[in-house]
Amino acid sequence: MTVIRSTATRAAALALLFTAALFGASAAPARAAEAAVELHVPEHAYLTKRGVGPTGGYRIWLDPSPGGGLAARTGVQLKVDASDLAGTARLRTRRECGDHTWTTQPFTCDLGTLTRGKRNYPDALYIEAAPGARAGAHGTIRYTFSAPGSADATFETEVWIGGADLRERVEKPRRDLTAGGDFTFTPRVRNEGRVPAHGFGVEFSSPRLNFRTKYSNCWYADTRFAYCWFDRTLDPGRSYAFASPITVGVPGETVNSSFQYNAYLSGLTGNGEDLANAYTTDAVPGLKRGKGPELTVRAVAGGASGYNGEYDLGETKVSTTQTADLKAGAGELAGRTGTTTDVTFSLRNTGPGRVYGAYMEITPPEGTSVVEPTPPPDPDNELEWQWECSRQSRGAYACSPDHPLEPGENWETTLKFKLDQRVRDAEGRLALKQGSTRPAKDPHPGDNAVPIVTKITGGPLVEPRGKPAAETAKAASDGGGPGGPVLAAGAGALVVAAGLGALWVRRIKARRRP
């Protein structure tokens, strides 16, 4: 995992947008009476790359509000003291703070009047590592806000050169669980970086599994997501385990699923607000803080083996004793050679369980080819475009739903076929498959595959590729004509040429496959 984990599912997007604000907070310092301002700033900043901006450095956005519950505060000044960073890092500012280019000398910003509910600081402080700074070096930035008739308010950010690299332990798949029961596991997180992680969070997610314990340092969004924040420092090269196992409930209709946990770095601190209520539930609807005991972690012995790679997900596969009867269905492929036609394929789950990971494997009949859809010409819309099918080896196509199939659900996809040739006894195949890591217990596997029947007219009838010469000669003598074997060879060449042609497939997954 990198310093801050990035994910492709909606859940992961929500986590990255709001975990810093909602969960990455250590205990807020005591607020002085009638303090000049209220503020949230990063408690720790990790400089993992050289430079400033999208490719490196760190940007701190300050958004002070009037202290003491006032609607406005006048004559506010901000003093920034980064002298402790000399030789480690340096700052750049502009606008109200004036133009300061890569300095550690104290400077003062005239902020004037602060108004509650308004963006009061129009720019950011930029930080980058000083030339020659070594990983592990660190220092502190101190911000002091003052205003007439109020007490000063002081905040700090500790800046580190380099960053922690958090990895999750690889969990073994849980198989043959009792549907409707529970399973437990104890997450472990390891810091593979060269810098301590001063506080960290863990995001839990699953398709439809139930979280049983509501810990007080965790926030929950329905029964699918939980986010926990720990004020524990994770030292480099050390592993840490949860002090209590996580209990996960498995709904009775679950055939297979998965459970993920991913560690991340963040950190906000400040005064004036209870962070459990600092942001409204409009940001993450249904998000609630747990009322149970606090979840803690403890250091454990062990090396780096058994943990995920930098970009892997901490995922635990789950399968149960529940069953799901899948049935395949395929339309008829009919028309004249040289034309195109649509054929609809179906994947039906007759229940009783919910199943994930099932997909169609469609093998086109000989003499036909799939016409793949064209992505939108507007590059801005490419990320919104996706095709549920992708070409596999030997010309087959795999088509899969992007959600679990509920009992009784019938999922369909339609492919466009070009009718290139009329091949004797040509027949395709639709087979329903299940990923090896997501086993499903189908009590009637015999209906998981059906033929794709062809009724193609027009053009000469050619023999299938690979048919023995004796058979093709007999076919010619039986009325196939002297051109039969020659046409068969030509058909084989055409199909091989088509197989060698470059087929452009763009498939974008807009979610994290559970």
Side-chain angles (χ1 to χ4, degrees), residues 2-5 46 163-166 197-201 229 263-267:
T2 53
V3 172
I4 296 181
R5 172 83 65 176
Y46 300 94
D165 179 6
L166 303 186
H198 298 278
F200 73 104
W229 181 257
Y264 60 88
L265 294 172
S266 183

Side-chain angles (χ1 to χ4, degrees), residues 42 46 56 67 104 110 178 184 228-229 331 361 369 373 387 390 467 486 514:
Y46 300 94
T104 58
D110 267 325
T178 301
T184 61
C228 302
W229 181 257
E361 185 180 79
S369 57
W387 187 35
S390 61
K467 194 171 184 179
V486 176

Side-chain angles (χ1 to χ4, degrees), residues 395-415:
Y397 285 81
C399 305
S400 57
D402 63 353
H403 60 278
L405 291 177
E406 302 291 339
E409 182 177 355
N410 187 60
W411 184 78
E412 295 182 342
T413 189
T414 299
L415 300 185

Side-chain angles (χ1 to χ4, degrees), residues 153-173:
T154 301
F155 309 90
E156 296 182 351
T157 296
E158 190 171 19
V159 178
W160 291 79
I161 305 302
D165 179 6
L166 303 186
R167 311 285 180 93
E168 305 85 9
R169 183 176 62 173
V170 177
E171 299 290 336
K172 295 181 180 180

Side-chain angles (χ1 to χ4, degrees), residues 254-285:
T254 299
V255 173
N256 55 28
S257 187
S258 65
F259 184 76
Q260 297 175 353
Y261 70 99
N262 305 299
Y264 60 88
L265 294 172
S266 183
L268 291 177
T269 185
N271 64 2
E273 291 181 295
D274 176 4
L275 290 174
N277 302 307
Y279 294 82
T280 68
T281 54
D282 294 336
V284 185

Side-chain angles (χ1 to χ4, degrees), residues 247-505:
T247 300
V248 181
V250 184
E253 65 273 17
T254 299
V255 173
N256 55 28
S257 187
S258 65
F259 184 76
Q260 297 175 353
Y261 70 99
N262 305 299
Y264 60 88
L265 294 172
S266 183
L268 291 177
T269 185
N271 64 2
E273 291 181 295
D274 176 4
L275 290 174
N277 302 307
Y279 294 82
T280 68
T281 54
D282 294 336
V284 185
L287 192 67
K288 296 181 179 179
R289 187 173 188 172
K291 297 182 179 180
E294 180 181 358
L295 180 61
T296 61
V297 297
R298 56 184 176 84
V300 293
S305 63
Y307 289 83
N308 283 310
E310 184 176 5
Y311 301 106
D312 295 334
L313 299 178
E315 182 178 36
T316 302
K317 297 290 195 307
V318 173
S319 62
T320 75
T321 55
Q322 183 60 275
T323 64
D325 184 12
L326 304 180
K327 290 187 177 182
E332 188 177 76
L333 202 164
R336 291 185 61 84
T337 56
T339 65
T340 60
T341 186
D342 290 343
V343 180
T344 297
F345 303 93
S346 65
L347 165 54
R348 182 175 181 80
N349 176 18
T350 64
R354 177 193 300 114
V355 65
Y356 198 92
Y359 65 95
M360 301 176 180
E361 185 180 79
I362 300 170
T363 303
E366 187 175 345
T368 70
S369 57
V370 173
V371 181
E372 300 181 14
T374 302
D378 185 358
D380 293 338
N381 293 329
E382 278 194 21
L383 292 178
E384 300 298 326
W385 180 84
Q386 66 179 39
W387 187 35
E388 63 266 30
C389 302
S390 61
R391 192 180 185 192
Q392 307 297 295
S393 61
R394 300 182 181 179
Y397 285 81
C399 305
S400 57
D402 63 353
H403 60 278
L405 291 177
E406 302 291 339
E409 182 177 355
N410 187 60
W411 184 78
E412 295 182 342
T413 189
T414 299
L415 300 185
K416 183 180 292 294
F417 286 82
K418 183 180 178 183
L419 311 183
D420 302 307
Q421 290 181 310
R422 186 162 62 101
V423 179
R424 185 188 302 276
D425 299 326
E427 187 177 84
R429 186 172 185 268
L430 165 63
L432 304 184
K433 302 285 187 175
Q434 189 75 32
S436 60
T437 61
R438 302 179 188 276
K441 295 177 174 60
D442 191 330
H444 306 292
D447 55 12
N448 288 3
V450 293
I452 304 174
V453 178
T454 60
K455 289 186 178 180
I456 301 176
T457 59
L461 179 65
V462 300
E463 297 299 323
R465 287 178 300 163
K467 194 171 184 179
E471 292 187 28
T472 56
K474 184 178 185 300
S477 65
D478 290 341
V486 176
L487 287 172
L494 285 172
V495 174
V496 169
L500 294 175
L503 291 176
W504 190 93
V505 177

